Amino acid sequence: MIAPVSPTAWTRKHLLGLEDLSAAEIVAILDTAESFSEVSKRSRKKVPALTGRVVFNLFFENSTRTRTSFSLSAKRLSADTQDFSASVSSLTKGETFIDTARNIEAMGADVLVVRHPTPGAPHLLSQHVRASIINAGDGAHEHPTQALLDLLTIRRAKGKIDGLTVGLIGDIGHSRVARSNIWGLLKLGAKVILCGPPTLVPRGFERLGCEVAHHLDDVLPRCDVVNALRIQRERQERGLFPSLNEYFQLYGITGERLARAKPDLLVLAPGPINRGVELTTEVADGPQSAILDQVTNGV
Ligand code: CP
């Protein structure tokens, strides 16, 4: 049986970001996810919650985890699902982004899950279609469902979020995962430390209520949770840090560094992970890693 969710009703049509959500709304989503997670453990992994609904995945950027977890979860809730790939669509023949979405909506889509390289693209669509829009990552702006699954993973492992110290490590400036995590963690009462090279951690983030730091060895022993963000290799070409090897020496999460951290430090990474850059294989596959729990909780 599905357990009842928290009393706060979800009244929004779209999920565009965590910046606009209240703490109560975030908790309502986490509690709902918690009640549905039991479905994934059944031998028959299906409930009728979305019977008759049509969910389209509109991905204008590559994805392993997000696209498949949306597809799978919609199927588990009995929705009809359809994947759309920009590279083989009529976008290549001049169709606009909005016309593409309108075509898909005309086929009866109730929900459009949208990933797009341009910040604000899902917000724009929400003004042009009647379907509900879920932001699956828009440029460097927000990745709300990644942050929600991170919050769920932390809450499950630690029993709470309020009062925890969470380090977000690496390329904060270009990271939609960082932005959504910052909003979600602060709203639920965590302390957030952003740590990375000065070129990747702009100081403006302090205004949001985060601590900004550049020395991982000072930061890590204070953390209850560390989230090793993906280093986007394409940044290297723009000279934002000298080399992947130097990044690893200064900011890589290693077994040696874990030995100097709290013994119950929880290690997260949004994926796709770069082994030997953000963290070692020993850490990624070790007992403190919750990386695959994050993937499970994404569904
Ligand atoms: N974490 C994440 O969004 O992964 P994908 O890019 O594979 O969806």
Side-chain angles (χ1 to χ4, degrees):
M1 203 178 107
I2 305 288
V5 300
S6 30
T8 307
W10 176 259
T11 57
R12 292 175 188 265
K13 183 171 178 183
H14 310 292
L15 175 60
L16 298 174
L18 294 198
E19 182 176 1
D20 296 334
L21 299 193
S22 67
E25 286 174 313
I26 294 171
V27 170
I29 296 174
L30 300 185
D31 290 349
T32 306
E34 198 69 71
S35 71
F36 275 103
S37 68
E38 175 263 328
V39 175
S40 296
K41 297 187 191 119
R42 296 181 186 175
S43 57
R44 187 175 184 278
K45 299 175 175 54
K46 217 159 191 78
V47 289
L50 291 182
T51 302
R53 304 284 182 178
V54 179
V55 178
F56 261 86
N57 285 325
L58 268 71
F59 276 62
F60 297 84
E61 255 186 22
N62 293 342
S63 165
T64 300
R65 189 201 59 72
T66 310
R67 185 207 290 258
T68 46
S69 62
F70 267 107
S71 196
L72 199 55
S73 56
K75 287 186 176 83
R76 285 190 185 164
L77 298 176
S78 301
D80 293 328
T81 64
Q82 184 64 45
D83 279 353
F84 164 89
S85 287
S87 59
V88 291
S89 76
S90 288
L91 282 161
T92 59
K93 295 185 271 182
E95 187 173 73
T96 68
F97 172 54
I98 290 171
D99 281 336
T100 299
R102 281 184 170 151
N103 271 283
I104 283 167
E105 189 177 53
M107 292 181 233
D110 298 294
V111 179
L112 304 180
V113 180
V114 181
R115 169 169 288 191
H116 201 282
T118 306
H123 308 67
L124 178 70
L125 270 199
S126 72
Q127 293 160 14
H128 290 273
V129 298
R130 289 183 302 280
S132 292
I133 306 293
I134 298 180
N135 181 359
D138 63 322
H141 178 222
E142 280 227 41
H143 193 346
T145 60
Q146 176 70 47
L148 288 166
L149 74 88
D150 292 342
L151 291 168
L152 187 65
T153 305
I154 295 170
R155 197 177 74 165
R156 284 185 148 195
K158 297 288 186 187
K160 62 174 189 175
I161 291 167
D162 187 27
L164 295 178
T165 297
V166 180
L168 303 180
I169 313 301
D171 188 357
I172 310 296
H174 302 99
S175 173
R176 55 195 177 204
V177 176
R179 279 177 182 74
S180 290
N181 261 270
I182 289 168
W183 293 121
L185 288 164
L186 291 176
K187 283 170 200 262
L188 297 193
K191 176 176 178 55
V192 178
I193 307 177
L194 308 177
C195 181
T199 48
L200 299 181
V201 191
R203 292 207 85 84
F205 280 96
E206 281 159 337
R207 286 200 297 274
L208 302 180
C210 304
E211 181 180 328
V212 170
H214 304 297
H215 298 288
L216 181 62
D217 289 322
D218 296 339
V219 165
L220 209 55
R222 297 167 56 203
C223 292
D224 301 296
V225 180
V226 68
N227 195 339
L229 302 177
R230 182 174 80 86
I231 277 296
Q232 298 166 27
R233 289 163 184 261
E234 58 273 23
R235 310 283 174 225
Q236 227 196 327
E237 287 158 24
R238 292 170 47 196
L240 292 174
F241 54 95
S243 71
L244 290 174
N245 186 45
E246 183 180 304
Y247 179 86
F248 173 71
Q249 298 304 324
L250 293 174
Y251 297 104
I253 313 287
T254 62
E256 227 171 59
R257 286 194 162 110
L258 281 196
R260 297 194 295 271
K262 292 182 183 176
D264 60 348
L265 175 73
L266 186 72
V267 178
L268 306 181
I273 60 172
N274 296 310
R275 292 172 186 265
V277 179
E278 298 105 23
L279 70 183
T280 58
T281 285
E282 174 194 15
V283 172
D285 300 335
Q288 287 168 256
S289 168
I291 294 172
L292 292 179
D293 295 331
Q294 291 173 268
V295 179
T296 303
N297 292 338
V299 179

